[in-house]
Amino acid sequence: MTGAAARWRALVAVAAVVAVAAIDATPAAAEYGDVVINRRAERGGVRPVVFPHWFHRIRFRCKVCHSELGFRMRAGANDVLMADVIDGKFCGMCHNGQTAWGAEQCDLCHSGKPGTPPGIQGGNETRGPGRW
Amino acid sequence: MTPLRGSSLHGRTAALALALVAAFAAPGARAQGKAVYDQACGVCHNAGIVGAPKLGDAKAWEPRIKQGVPALYAVALGGKGGMPARGGNLNLSDTQVKSAVDYIVSQAKVRATTAVASAPPAAAPAPATRTAAAVASTPAAQSPPASALPTSAAQPPAAPAATAPTDPPASSVAKFAPGPTTVAAAVPVRAPVSGAQANAFNRLLRPPAQRNLPPAEDGIHDPANDGTQLLQPPLEAFGALPRSNAGNRVDWVKALAETRIQPRVDRVDPKAEAVVMDLNIVREVKGSMPDVVYPHKQHTEWLDCSNCHPAIFVPQKGANQISMAGILLGEKCGVCHGKVAFPVSECRLCHSKPKPTAATAAPAR
């Protein structure tokens, strides 16, 4: 039992040090318009999703997603389930293996740093009071 | 029993460490199985997505297990129905996939025996602290049904508290160990302001060293994730585009006008053309600030009328009260500007029509 306890303690110490180091090492310098989607991802055992607006707007105009695909224009207003994506709704309308990579390529979308809270990132200026 | 409990305890720790850094090789087949399961299979098998049998659902797994474990291995490795081969994680080795299958099978059997023995329902994922408290207060917990023991893999802190009450270091570690780790996981990824940043000219301006970083360095992507390395770095795409001083530091409107980028108007039809409306709306503003010229043209290049009308802006002259305060709160123009369209720090891009300056003071009336 003592052996197990010692191993447990040592591993926890290592994990804590690594976690703190990871947080310290990289300041959040995300690209403007990046959205982290993490309402369910981490609870479901996967990394959060990072949605880069810049990458998509080079390829599609805003209206394709925000009108045709049904994404509402407020972070947090779109409750997208993985099942919807696999069924070809929301992201799945393009991320189906034809227009873009399919849902089986989990780690391309689920690429966020564990523990990142959901919301828009990258130095947004219009979210709430206290920003200016 | 003790070695089993020890290994499950170890497994949980390793899974936690793996979730944090994804770099720990978990010793022990069971530990590895759980880690692989959490990483690759849990997404669907925890919730039962696309018909996936849920973890621990004995009824669903029974017919599958009856076909033999090799058959399950084959399905896991090759895929079946909605399930991709290797759970979609092609980097996993055969051994890793099989260990995950073993873990799933062990979980299904555990739940099945608990159900048959009509023991109290196995404590499904419950807060560890609550379980520990329950264990401490219930003397019966000293002799739990043997079949229920493996389920305690999900709540390792309870195990040492129940079995080794005479070992204070073990139980105190078990009680406090989840503390630092959960705290570490819950800390939002916001780096403390370093000395250099604090003395920067304007803390809202991003220093050049932090602009357009590749995904692995941007602070929100996990560098330990294989997929992160495959994502396109922003600068690779922005190289040929006209630059600006804010946001992505790309002038998107100019890039589109000069056809440096050709974003599709329709999801599938690359030839569809945008319905552009060329109508400027001038909004007079208070004070000496230049009036705002709102160009429908640049907006309809990107957006559909219904994106803004009538939810954000009532399509009627004088019906919209717009203030910078509201915009900063994310209303009206602030729905996009400041988040994905150029930010509000670029005053003169909107406030672009200078007020006519009176040559002489207006006569008093």
Side-chain angles (χ1 to χ4, degrees), chain B residues 266-350:
Chain B
D266 187 90
R267 183 173 59 92
V268 282
D269 180 10
K271 295 206 179 84
E273 300 252 339
V275 182
V276 176
M277 172 178 170
D278 192 357
L279 169 68
N280 284 349
I281 307 284
V282 177
R283 293 188 65 95
E284 293 181 1
V285 301
K286 285 180 267 185
S288 58
M289 201 65 187
D291 290 337
V292 171
V293 179
Y294 167 83
H296 271 97
K297 184 168 182 286
Q298 280 84 340
H299 288 80
T300 48
E301 289 274 8
W302 294 97
L303 292 154
D304 200 61
C305 311
S306 64
N307 285 130
C308 305
H309 301 306
I312 302 172
F313 296 99
V314 181
Q316 182 195 333
K317 193 183 175 193
N320 299 289
Q321 275 288 336
I322 305 178
S323 70
M324 282 315 295
I327 291 171
L328 289 168
L329 286 168
E331 292 167 7
K332 304 290 179 188
C333 318
V335 169
C336 298
H337 286 281
K339 297 188 186 77
V340 290
F342 64 76
V344 284
S345 51
E346 307 302 287
C347 313
R348 297 305 164 105
L349 290 181
C350 299

Side-chain angles (χ1 to χ4, degrees), chain B residues 71-158:
Chain B
L72 287 177
Y73 286 158
V75 169
L77 291 169
K80 181 187 174 186
M83 176 171 159
R86 290 165 204 269
N89 204 330
L90 298 176
N91 296 324
L92 293 176
S93 71
D94 286 13
T95 339
Q96 283 175 310
V97 175
K98 287 176 181 175
S99 67
V101 173
D102 292 339
Y103 171 73
I104 291 172
V105 170
S106 72
Q107 290 300 100
K109 279 180 180 165
V110 162
R111 302 294 159 96
T113 38
T114 340
V116 168
S118 75
T129 47
R130 239 183 68 194
T131 321
V135 165
S137 62
T138 323
Q142 296 287 349
S143 56
S147 55
L149 270 176
T151 50
S152 70
Q155 300 97 22

Side-chain angles (χ1 to χ4, degrees), chain A:
Chain A
M1 211 60 231
T2 348
R7 268 183 296 168
W8 167 246
R9 198 185 301 160
L11 268 168
V12 163
V14 168
V17 165
V18 169
V20 168
I23 289 166
D24 269 348
T26 44
E31 195 56 41
Y32 186 69
D34 279 359
V35 180
V36 172
I37 303 157
N38 194 9
R39 192 181 293 172
R40 295 195 183 80
E42 273 199 274
R43 266 194 275 152
V46 281
R47 294 183 176 85
V49 173
V50 177
F51 172 82
H53 264 103
W54 67 266
F55 183 90
H56 289 83
R57 74 183 297 177
I58 292 175
R59 291 152 179 85
F60 295 95
R61 312 217 183 189
C62 318
K63 63 184 265 187
V64 174
C65 301
H66 287 297
S67 128
E68 202 179 334
L69 269 57
F71 282 103
R72 298 176 63 196
M73 298 197 294
R74 181 166 63 80
N78 301 290
D79 203 7
V80 180
L81 292 168
M82 199 61 221
D84 294 337
V85 177
I86 293 169
D87 285 349
K89 294 179 208 156
F90 295 111
C91 320
M93 284 180 85
C94 295
H95 283 277
N96 50 13
Q98 292 164 357
T99 310
W101 65 71
E104 72 282 354
Q105 306 256 40
C106 312
D107 62 356
L108 290 180
C109 300
H110 287 274
S111 58
K113 190 175 271 187
T116 312
I120 192 144
Q121 305 273 338
N124 60 301
E125 295 175 359
T126 53
R127 178 159 53 184
R131 173 71 195 162
W132 286 65

